Structure formats: C-alpha cells, structure tokens
Coordinates of all heavy atoms in Angstrom, one line a residue:
M165 N -12.8 -84.0 -37.7 CA -14.1 -84.5 -38.3 C -13.7 -85.6 -39.3 O -12.7 -85.5 -40.0 CB -14.7 -83.4 -39.1 CG -16.0 -83.8 -39.8 SD -16.9 -82.5 -40.7 CE -17.6 -81.6 -39.3
K166 N -14.4 -86.7 -39.3 CA -14.2 -87.8 -40.1 C -14.8 -87.6 -41.5 O -15.9 -87.0 -41.6 CB -14.8 -89.1 -39.6 CG -14.0 -89.6 -38.3 CD -14.6 -90.9 -37.9 CE -13.8 -91.4 -36.7 NZ -14.2 -92.7 -36.3
A167 N -14.1 -88.0 -42.5 CA -14.6 -87.9 -43.9 C -15.6 -89.1 -44.2 O -15.4 -90.2 -43.7 CB -13.5 -87.9 -44.9
I168 N -16.5 -88.8 -45.1 CA -17.4 -89.9 -45.6 C -16.7 -90.5 -46.8 O -16.3 -89.9 -47.8 CB -18.7 -89.3 -46.0 CG1 -19.5 -88.8 -44.8 CG2 -19.6 -90.4 -46.7 CD1 -20.7 -88.1 -45.1
N169 N -16.4 -91.8 -46.7 CA -15.7 -92.5 -47.7 C -16.6 -93.4 -48.6 O -16.2 -93.8 -49.7 CB -14.7 -93.5 -47.1 CG -13.6 -92.7 -46.4 OD1 -13.2 -91.6 -46.8 ND2 -13.2 -93.2 -45.2
R170 N -17.8 -93.6 -48.2 CA -18.7 -94.5 -49.0 C -20.2 -94.1 -48.7 O -20.5 -93.9 -47.5 CB -18.5 -95.9 -48.5 CG -19.4 -96.9 -49.2 CD -19.0 -98.4 -48.7 NE -20.0 -99.3 -49.1 CZ -20.6 -100.1 -48.3 NH1 -20.3 -100.1 -47.0 NH2 -21.6 -100.9 -48.8
I171 N -21.0 -94.0 -49.7 CA -22.4 -93.8 -49.6 C -23.2 -94.9 -50.3 O -22.8 -95.1 -51.5 CB -22.8 -92.4 -50.1 CG1 -22.1 -91.3 -49.3 CG2 -24.3 -92.2 -50.1 CD1 -22.3 -89.9 -49.9
M172 N -24.1 -95.5 -49.7 CA -25.0 -96.5 -50.3 C -26.4 -96.2 -50.0 O -26.8 -95.8 -48.9 CB -24.6 -97.9 -49.9 CG -25.5 -98.9 -50.5 SD -25.1 -100.6 -50.0 CE -26.3 -101.4 -51.1
T173 N -27.3 -96.3 -51.0 CA -28.7 -96.2 -50.8 C -29.4 -97.3 -51.6 O -28.8 -97.9 -52.5 CB -29.2 -94.8 -51.2 OG1 -30.5 -94.7 -50.8 CG2 -29.1 -94.6 -52.7
N174 N -30.6 -97.6 -51.2 CA -31.4 -98.6 -51.9 C -32.7 -98.0 -52.4 O -33.3 -97.1 -51.7 CB -31.8 -99.8 -50.9 CG -30.6 -100.6 -50.6 OD1 -29.8 -101.0 -51.4 ND2 -30.4 -100.9 -49.3
I175 N -33.2 -98.4 -53.5 CA -34.4 -98.0 -54.1 C -35.2 -99.2 -54.5 O -34.7 -100.3 -54.7 CB -34.3 -97.0 -55.3 CG1 -33.5 -97.7 -56.4 CG2 -33.6 -95.7 -54.8 CD1 -33.5 -96.9 -57.7
C176 N -36.5 -99.1 -54.7 CA -37.4 -100.1 -55.2 C -37.7 -99.9 -56.6 O -37.8 -98.7 -57.0 CB -38.7 -100.2 -54.4 SG -38.4 -100.8 -52.7
S177 N -37.9 -100.9 -57.4 CA -38.3 -100.8 -58.8 C -39.2 -101.9 -59.2 O -39.1 -103.0 -58.7 CB -37.0 -100.9 -59.6 OG -37.3 -100.9 -61.0
D178 N -40.1 -101.6 -60.1 CA -41.0 -102.5 -60.7 C -40.3 -103.2 -61.9 O -40.8 -104.2 -62.4 CB -42.3 -101.9 -61.2 CG -43.1 -101.4 -60.1 OD1 -42.9 -101.8 -59.0 OD2 -44.0 -100.5 -60.3
N179 N -39.2 -102.7 -62.4 CA -38.5 -103.2 -63.6 C -37.0 -103.1 -63.3 O -36.4 -102.1 -63.6 CB -38.9 -102.5 -64.8 CG -38.4 -103.1 -66.1 OD1 -37.3 -103.8 -66.1 ND2 -39.1 -103.0 -67.2
L180 N -36.4 -104.2 -62.8 CA -35.0 -104.2 -62.4 C -34.1 -104.0 -63.6 O -33.1 -103.2 -63.5 CB -34.6 -105.5 -61.7 CG -35.1 -105.7 -60.3 CD1 -34.7 -107.1 -59.8 CD2 -34.5 -104.6 -59.4
A181 N -34.4 -104.6 -64.7 CA -33.5 -104.5 -65.9 C -33.5 -103.1 -66.4 O -32.4 -102.6 -66.7 CB -33.9 -105.5 -67.0
A182 N -34.6 -102.5 -66.5 CA -34.7 -101.1 -67.0 C -34.0 -100.1 -66.0 O -33.3 -99.2 -66.5 CB -36.2 -100.7 -67.2
S183 N -34.2 -100.3 -64.7 CA -33.6 -99.5 -63.7 C -32.1 -99.7 -63.8 O -31.3 -98.7 -63.7 CB -34.1 -99.8 -62.3 OG -35.5 -99.5 -62.3
R184 N -31.6 -100.9 -63.9 CA -30.2 -101.2 -63.9 C -29.6 -100.5 -65.2 O -28.6 -99.8 -65.0 CB -29.9 -102.7 -64.1 CG -28.5 -103.1 -64.2 CD -28.3 -104.5 -64.7 NE -28.9 -104.6 -66.1 CZ -29.7 -105.6 -66.5 NH1 -29.9 -106.6 -65.7 NH2 -30.2 -105.6 -67.7
D185 N -30.2 -100.6 -66.3 CA -29.7 -100.0 -67.5 C -29.7 -98.5 -67.4 O -28.7 -97.8 -67.8 CB -30.5 -100.4 -68.7 CG -30.4 -101.9 -69.0 OD1 -29.5 -102.5 -68.5 OD2 -31.2 -102.4 -69.8
F186 N -30.8 -97.9 -66.8 CA -30.9 -96.4 -66.7 C -29.7 -95.9 -65.8 O -29.0 -95.0 -66.2 CB -32.2 -96.1 -66.1 CG -32.4 -94.6 -65.8 CD1 -32.6 -93.7 -66.8 CD2 -32.2 -94.2 -64.5 CE1 -32.8 -92.4 -66.5 CE2 -32.4 -92.8 -64.2 CZ -32.7 -91.9 -65.2
Y187 N -29.5 -96.5 -64.6 CA -28.5 -96.0 -63.7 C -27.1 -96.3 -64.2 O -26.2 -95.5 -63.9 CB -28.8 -96.5 -62.3 CG -29.9 -95.8 -61.7 CD1 -31.1 -96.5 -61.5 CD2 -29.9 -94.5 -61.3 CE1 -32.2 -95.8 -60.9 CE2 -31.0 -93.8 -60.7 CZ -32.2 -94.5 -60.6 OH -33.2 -93.9 -60.0
T188 N -26.9 -97.4 -64.9 CA -25.5 -97.6 -65.4 C -25.1 -96.6 -66.5 O -24.0 -96.2 -66.6 CB -25.3 -99.1 -65.9 OG1 -26.3 -99.4 -66.9 CG2 -25.4 -100.1 -64.7
K189 N -26.1 -96.2 -67.3 CA -25.9 -95.2 -68.3 C -25.8 -93.8 -67.8 O -24.9 -93.1 -68.1 CB -26.9 -95.3 -69.4 CG -26.8 -96.6 -70.2 CD -28.0 -96.7 -71.2 CE -27.9 -98.0 -71.9 NZ -29.1 -98.3 -72.8
L190 N -26.7 -93.5 -66.9 CA -26.7 -92.1 -66.3 C -25.5 -91.8 -65.5 O -24.9 -90.7 -65.6 CB -28.0 -91.9 -65.5 CG -28.2 -90.5 -64.9 CD1 -28.4 -89.5 -66.0 CD2 -29.4 -90.6 -63.9
F191 N -25.1 -92.7 -64.6 CA -24.0 -92.4 -63.7 C -22.8 -93.2 -63.9 O -21.8 -93.2 -63.2 CB -24.5 -92.7 -62.2 CG -25.6 -91.8 -61.7 CD1 -26.8 -92.4 -61.4 CD2 -25.4 -90.5 -61.6 CE1 -27.8 -91.5 -60.9 CE2 -26.4 -89.7 -61.1 CZ -27.6 -90.2 -60.8
D192 N -22.8 -94.0 -65.0 CA -21.6 -94.8 -65.4 C -21.3 -95.8 -64.3 O -20.1 -96.1 -64.0 CB -20.4 -93.9 -65.7 CG -19.4 -94.7 -66.6 OD1 -19.8 -95.6 -67.3 OD2 -18.2 -94.3 -66.5
F193 N -22.3 -96.3 -63.6 CA -22.1 -97.4 -62.6 C -21.8 -98.7 -63.3 O -22.1 -98.9 -64.4 CB -23.3 -97.6 -61.7 CG -23.6 -96.6 -60.6 CD1 -24.8 -96.0 -60.4 CD2 -22.5 -96.2 -59.8 CE1 -25.1 -95.1 -59.4 CE2 -22.8 -95.2 -58.8 CZ -24.0 -94.7 -58.6
K194 N -21.1 -99.6 -62.5 CA -20.9 -100.9 -63.0 C -21.7 -101.9 -62.1 O -22.0 -101.7 -61.0 CB -19.4 -101.3 -62.8 CG -18.4 -100.4 -63.6 CD -18.7 -100.5 -65.1 CE -17.8 -99.5 -65.8 NZ -18.3 -99.1 -67.1
V195 N -22.2 -103.0 -62.7 CA -23.0 -104.0 -62.0 C -22.0 -104.8 -61.2 O -21.1 -105.4 -61.7 CB -23.7 -104.8 -63.0 CG1 -24.5 -105.9 -62.3 CG2 -24.7 -104.0 -63.9
D196 N -22.3 -104.8 -59.9 CA -21.5 -105.6 -58.9 C -22.2 -106.9 -58.6 O -21.5 -108.0 -58.4 CB -21.3 -104.8 -57.7 CG -20.3 -105.5 -56.7 OD1 -19.2 -105.9 -57.1 OD2 -20.7 -105.7 -55.5
F197 N -23.5 -106.9 -58.6 CA -24.3 -108.1 -58.3 C -25.7 -108.0 -59.1 O -26.2 -106.9 -59.1 CB -24.6 -108.3 -56.8 CG -25.4 -109.5 -56.4 CD1 -24.8 -110.7 -56.4 CD2 -26.7 -109.3 -56.2 CE1 -25.6 -111.8 -56.0 CE2 -27.5 -110.4 -55.8 CZ -26.9 -111.7 -55.7
D198 N -26.1 -109.0 -59.6 CA -27.4 -109.0 -60.4 C -28.2 -110.3 -60.2 O -27.6 -111.3 -60.5 CB -27.1 -108.8 -61.9 CG -28.3 -108.3 -62.7 OD1 -29.4 -108.4 -62.2 OD2 -28.1 -107.9 -63.9
S199 N -29.3 -110.2 -59.6 CA -30.2 -111.4 -59.5 C -31.6 -111.0 -59.9 O -31.9 -109.9 -60.4 CB -30.2 -111.9 -58.0 OG -30.9 -111.0 -57.2
D200 N -32.5 -112.0 -59.7 CA -33.9 -111.7 -60.1 C -34.7 -110.8 -59.2 O -35.8 -110.3 -59.5 CB -34.7 -113.0 -60.3 CG -34.8 -113.9 -59.1 OD1 -34.0 -113.6 -58.1 OD2 -35.6 -114.8 -59.0
W201 N -34.1 -110.5 -58.0 CA -34.8 -109.6 -57.1 C -34.0 -108.4 -56.6 O -34.5 -107.5 -55.9 CB -35.3 -110.4 -55.8 CG -34.1 -110.9 -55.0 CD1 -33.4 -112.1 -55.2 CD2 -33.6 -110.3 -53.9 NE1 -32.5 -112.2 -54.2 CE2 -32.5 -111.1 -53.4 CE3 -33.9 -109.1 -53.2 CZ2 -31.8 -110.8 -52.3 CZ3 -33.1 -108.8 -52.1 CH2 -32.1 -109.6 -51.6
F202 N -32.7 -108.4 -56.9 CA -31.8 -107.3 -56.4 C -30.7 -107.1 -57.4 O -30.1 -108.0 -57.9 CB -31.2 -107.7 -55.0 CG -30.3 -106.7 -54.4 CD1 -30.8 -105.6 -53.8 CD2 -28.9 -106.9 -54.4 CE1 -30.0 -104.6 -53.2 CE2 -28.1 -105.9 -53.9 CZ -28.7 -104.8 -53.3
V203 N -30.3 -105.8 -57.6 CA -29.2 -105.4 -58.4 C -28.3 -104.4 -57.5 O -28.9 -103.5 -56.9 CB -29.6 -104.7 -59.7 CG1 -28.4 -104.2 -60.5 CG2 -30.4 -105.7 -60.5
H204 N -27.0 -104.7 -57.5 CA -26.1 -103.8 -56.8 C -25.2 -103.1 -57.8 O -24.5 -103.8 -58.5 CB -25.3 -104.6 -55.7 CG -24.4 -103.8 -54.9 ND1 -23.0 -103.9 -55.1 CD2 -24.6 -102.8 -54.0 CE1 -22.4 -103.0 -54.2 NE2 -23.4 -102.3 -53.6
L205 N -25.2 -101.8 -57.8 CA -24.4 -101.0 -58.7 C -23.3 -100.3 -57.9 O -23.6 -99.9 -56.8 CB -25.2 -100.0 -59.5 CG -26.4 -100.6 -60.3 CD1 -27.2 -99.5 -60.9 CD2 -26.0 -101.6 -61.3
I206 N -22.2 -100.1 -58.5 CA -21.1 -99.4 -57.8 C -20.4 -98.5 -58.8 O -20.2 -98.8 -60.0 CB -20.1 -100.4 -57.2 CG1 -19.2 -99.8 -56.2 CG2 -19.4 -101.3 -58.2 CD1 -18.5 -100.8 -55.3
S207 N -19.9 -97.3 -58.3 CA -19.2 -96.3 -59.1 C -17.8 -96.8 -59.3 O -17.3 -97.7 -58.6 CB -19.2 -95.0 -58.4 OG -18.4 -95.0 -57.2
K208 N -17.1 -96.2 -60.3 CA -15.8 -96.6 -60.7 C -14.8 -96.5 -59.5 O -13.9 -97.3 -59.3 CB -15.3 -95.9 -61.9 CG -15.9 -96.3 -63.1 CD -15.3 -95.5 -64.3 CE -16.0 -95.9 -65.6 NZ -15.5 -95.2 -66.8
N209 N -15.0 -95.4 -58.7 CA -14.1 -95.2 -57.6 C -14.5 -95.9 -56.3 O -13.9 -95.8 -55.2 CB -13.9 -93.7 -57.3 CG -15.1 -93.0 -56.9 OD1 -16.2 -93.7 -56.7 ND2 -15.1 -91.7 -56.8
K210 N -15.7 -96.6 -56.4 CA -16.2 -97.5 -55.3 C -16.7 -96.7 -54.1 O -16.9 -97.2 -53.1 CB -15.3 -98.6 -54.9 CG -14.9 -99.5 -56.1 CD -14.1 -100.6 -55.7 CE -13.9 -101.5 -56.9 NZ -13.1 -102.6 -56.7
N211 N -16.9 -95.4 -54.3 CA -17.4 -94.5 -53.2 C -18.9 -94.4 -53.2 O -19.5 -94.1 -52.1 CB -16.9 -93.1 -53.3 CG -15.4 -93.1 -53.0 OD1 -14.8 -94.0 -52.4 ND2 -14.8 -91.9 -53.2
L212 N -19.6 -94.7 -54.3 CA -21.0 -94.6 -54.4 C -21.6 -96.0 -54.8 O -21.1 -96.6 -55.7 CB -21.5 -93.5 -55.4 CG -21.0 -92.1 -55.2 CD1 -21.3 -91.3 -56.4 CD2 -21.6 -91.6 -53.9
E213 N -22.6 -96.4 -54.1 CA -23.3 -97.6 -54.4 C -24.8 -97.5 -54.4 O -25.3 -96.7 -53.6 CB -22.9 -98.7 -53.3 CG -21.4 -98.9 -53.2 CD -21.1 -100.0 -52.2 OE1 -21.8 -101.0 -52.0 OE2 -20.1 -99.7 -51.5
L214 N -25.4 -98.2 -55.3 CA -26.9 -98.1 -55.4 C -27.4 -99.6 -55.4 O -27.0 -100.4 -56.3 CB -27.3 -97.4 -56.7 CG -28.8 -97.3 -56.9 CD1 -29.5 -96.5 -55.9 CD2 -29.1 -96.7 -58.3
G215 N -28.3 -99.9 -54.5 CA -29.0 -101.1 -54.5 C -30.4 -100.9 -55.0 O -31.1 -100.0 -54.6
I216 N -30.8 -101.8 -56.0 CA -32.2 -101.7 -56.6 C -32.9 -103.0 -56.2 O -32.5 -104.1 -56.5 CB -32.1 -101.5 -58.1 CG1 -31.2 -100.3 -58.5 CG2 -33.5 -101.3 -58.6 CD1 -31.0 -100.3 -60.0
V217 N -34.0 -102.8 -55.4 CA -34.7 -104.0 -54.9 C -36.0 -104.1 -55.7 O -36.7 -103.1 -55.9 CB -35.1 -103.8 -53.4 CG1 -35.8 -105.0 -52.9 CG2 -33.8 -103.5 -52.6
G218 N -36.3 -105.3 -56.2 CA -37.5 -105.5 -57.0 C -38.7 -105.5 -56.1 O -38.6 -105.9 -54.9
S219 N -39.8 -105.0 -56.6 CA -41.0 -105.0 -55.8 C -41.4 -106.4 -55.4 O -41.5 -107.3 -56.3 CB -42.1 -104.4 -56.6 OG -43.4 -104.5 -55.9
P220 N -41.6 -106.7 -54.1 CA -41.9 -108.1 -53.7 C -43.2 -108.6 -54.3 O -43.4 -109.8 -54.4 CB -42.0 -108.0 -52.2 CG -42.3 -106.5 -51.9 CD -41.7 -105.8 -53.0
F221 N -44.1 -107.8 -54.8 CA -45.3 -108.3 -55.4 C -45.2 -108.6 -56.8 O -46.0 -109.2 -57.4 CB -46.4 -107.2 -55.2 CG -46.6 -106.9 -53.7 CD1 -46.2 -105.7 -53.2 CD2 -47.2 -107.8 -52.9 CE1 -46.4 -105.4 -51.9 CE2 -47.4 -107.5 -51.6 CZ -47.0 -106.3 -51.0
L222 N -44.0 -108.2 -57.4 CA -43.8 -108.5 -58.9 C -42.7 -109.5 -59.1 O -42.6 -109.9 -60.3 CB -43.5 -107.2 -59.6 CG -44.6 -106.1 -59.5 CD1 -44.1 -104.8 -60.2 CD2 -45.9 -106.6 -60.2
V223 N -42.0 -109.9 -58.1 CA -41.0 -110.9 -58.3 C -41.6 -112.3 -58.6 O -42.5 -112.7 -57.8 CB -40.0 -111.0 -57.1 CG1 -39.0 -112.1 -57.2 CG2 -39.3 -109.7 -56.9
R224 N -41.2 -112.9 -59.6 CA -41.7 -114.2 -60.0 C -40.7 -115.3 -59.7 O -39.6 -115.2 -60.1 CB -42.1 -114.2 -61.4 CG -43.1 -113.1 -61.7 CD -44.0 -113.3 -62.8 NE -44.9 -112.3 -63.2 CZ -45.1 -111.1 -62.8 NH1 -44.4 -110.5 -61.9 NH2 -46.1 -110.3 -63.3
F225 N -41.2 -116.4 -59.0 CA -40.3 -117.5 -58.6 C -40.5 -118.6 -59.5 O -41.6 -118.9 -60.0 CB -40.5 -117.9 -57.2 CG -40.1 -116.8 -56.2 CD1 -41.0 -115.9 -55.7 CD2 -38.7 -116.6 -55.9 CE1 -40.6 -114.9 -54.8 CE2 -38.3 -115.6 -55.0 CZ -39.3 -114.8 -54.5

C-alpha cells in the first residue's frame, strides 16, 4: 500500500486576509503565495497545504 505524502484542499473565503491570518495562527501554516484572489498556505513539514480562493463576486480589480 502506498503512503499519502501530501494533502491539499481549497476553500472559498469572503475575506482572504482574515482567513490567511486565522489558518496561519491555528495550524502554524506559512504563507507560500499571496495575491488579491488566492492564498496558498503550507505546513512546516510541507505535507499539508491549504488554498484559499477569494469569492469571485467580491474580488476587486
């Protein structure tokens, strides 16, 4: 049986900055990528990843 080495999931958020701050504090994730519509967080051992996608109706260009 093969082992799972990496898990990644994406969630949507109406407030990327607040979501980023919440998950970095709660799970001690580090910010790998941060833009106005997407934030990618990664665990210290790089086995867990979380993508936070801004709501397409709230992103301002």
Side-chain angles (χ1 to χ4, degrees):
M165 179 179 287
K166 292 186 178 186
I168 296 174
N169 296 320
R170 178 178 167 236
I171 296 175
M172 180 180 182
T173 191
N174 292 313
I175 61 171
C176 292
S177 173
D178 293 341
N179 188 330
L180 285 176
S183 296
R184 177 197 63 222
D185 294 346
F186 175 78
Y187 287 107
T188 55
K189 290 176 186 171
L190 180 66
F191 295 116
D192 200 26
F193 281 136
K194 301 299 177 200
V195 177
D196 186 54
F197 179 80
D198 194 348
S199 73
D200 61 345
W201 67 274
F202 181 76
V203 175
H204 181 248
L205 305 175
I206 191 164
S207 65
K208 287 183 180 180
N209 63 6
K210 300 185 179 182
N211 288 348
L212 302 173
E213 299 179 42
L214 177 64
I216 307 171
V217 181
S219 172
F221 302 107
L222 297 177
V223 174
R224 303 209 181 7
F225 295 97

